[in-house]
Structure formats: structure tokens, C-alpha cells
Amino acid sequence: MEQTFIMIKPDGVQRGLVGEIISRFEKKGFILKGLRMVGVERSFAEKHYEDLSSKPFFTGLVEYIISGPVVAMVWEGKGVVATGRKIIGATNPAASEPGTIRGDFAVEIGRNVIHGSDAVESAKKEIALWFPDGVVDWQSSLH
Ligand code: CMP
């Protein structure tokens, strides 16, 4: 079954949005397979965002991600990568539709509350990076 990696960023944690975000994924019908609250090292944040290392915002992005704890999660379900991106909304909150997480809770692209894998292949890579010991093996009858 398809899985995606979702990270609630430091602003989302500090603003008390963890429960709201988890609730949206649960109510949609996706299954929570892994969850860790963690303060990440600079080198780890750089590894997670290595594809963006040439971007002018890379240093600021890394500073943002290491500014406080994040909540890293694995969610599972049919089409969860693409549907998860829809639940999250466009990267730039100014372009995110109301009803999406970023559309409802963010205004700045540099403080956009949440990350979600952009493709099945990147989800596999990100899950392996953040959950090297694997995830919880349980099945839901809703599957
Ligand atoms: P995320 O979904 O985590 O993927 C890459 C992140 O880079 C993105 O969300 C934003 O947090 C950040 N990002 C993308 N474009 C910009 C930008 N122009 N300025 C600042 N941050 C950006």
C-alpha cells in the first residue's frame, strides 16, 4: 500500500496545529503508520532538502526546520501521496485554496506549516531517512 512522508514544521508545532493536522489525515481515511517528534540537526535537515541545496532560500529553509521540534509522520492509503498534497495545499500559502492546511493556516512560503512528499519515489526516500527502523505494522479494517 502506498505511503507518504508528512512533516509538521516548527511553526506548525509551536502554533498548536499538530492535532488539527493529524485529524484531517485521519478523517480522510488514511492510516497513521509512524510518528516521531524530533529536533533535527542541521546536517539532517540539509540531507532532507538536498535537492534544493542550490536554491537561494536553502540556508533560510534549513534554519527554519532546525528552529524547533518537528513532527515526522508516515501515512498510508490509496493515492496518499497525491491526495496528501491536496490536503496540504500549494507550496506558497498565498496560492493555497481555503480548506487546505496551508490555505487555512499559513500566509508565508517560508513558514508554510507542513511538508509532504511530492512523489511516490521521494516518499520512499524520505521515509527511509526519517524512519530507518521502519514503521508500525498494523492494518485497519478501513483499508
Ligand atoms: P516543502 O513542501 O517542505 O518543500 C520545500 C520547501 O522549501 C517548501 O515547502 C518551502 O518551505 C520552501 N520554499 C520553497 N520555495 C521557497 C521560497 N521561494 N522561499 C522560501 N522558502 C521556500
Side-chain angles (χ1 to χ4, degrees):
M1 182 60 76
E2 187 172 305
Q3 295 183 334
T4 194
F5 173 72
I6 301 289
M7 170 177 56
I8 305 174
K9 297 178 179 179
D11 54 331
V13 175
Q14 286 163 18
R15 291 172 56 202
L17 297 174
V18 172
E20 169 79 30
I21 290 168
I22 288 177
S23 187
R24 290 187 181 206
F25 279 83
E26 282 187 323
K27 285 176 183 166
K28 176 67 179 170
F30 294 133
I31 308 300
L32 183 61
K33 299 288 285 196
L35 184 147
R36 292 174 58 218
M37 186 178 195
V38 57
V40 297
E41 302 278 350
R42 180 180 297 275
S43 58
F44 188 90
E46 287 171 350
K47 175 83 180 153
H48 172 75
Y49 281 122
E50 65 185 1
D51 292 350
L52 300 176
S53 61
S54 62
K55 301 284 185 189
F57 57 83
F58 180 71
T59 304
L61 173 59
V62 169
E63 292 288 343
Y64 164 41
I65 295 302
I66 67 173
S67 67
V70 301
V71 173
M73 297 178 283
V74 177
W75 287 90
E76 184 173 288
K78 191 175 177 183
V80 69
V81 173
T83 304
R85 299 271 293 181
K86 285 187 192 159
I87 291 171
I88 289 170
T91 303
N92 187 348
S96 311
E97 295 293 331
T100 66
I101 291 167
R102 288 169 176 157
D104 288 349
F105 302 122
V107 288
E108 296 284 347
I109 194 168
R111 292 288 181 275
N112 64 356
V113 173
I114 185 167
H115 164 83
S117 306
D118 62 4
V120 171
E121 279 314 304
S122 45
K124 285 180 185 160
K125 199 172 145 193
E126 291 172 359
I127 291 167
L129 178 67
W130 288 81
F131 291 85
D133 298 328
V135 297
V136 180
D137 186 18
W138 73 286
Q139 301 296 318
S140 165
S141 57
L142 296 175
H143 253 151

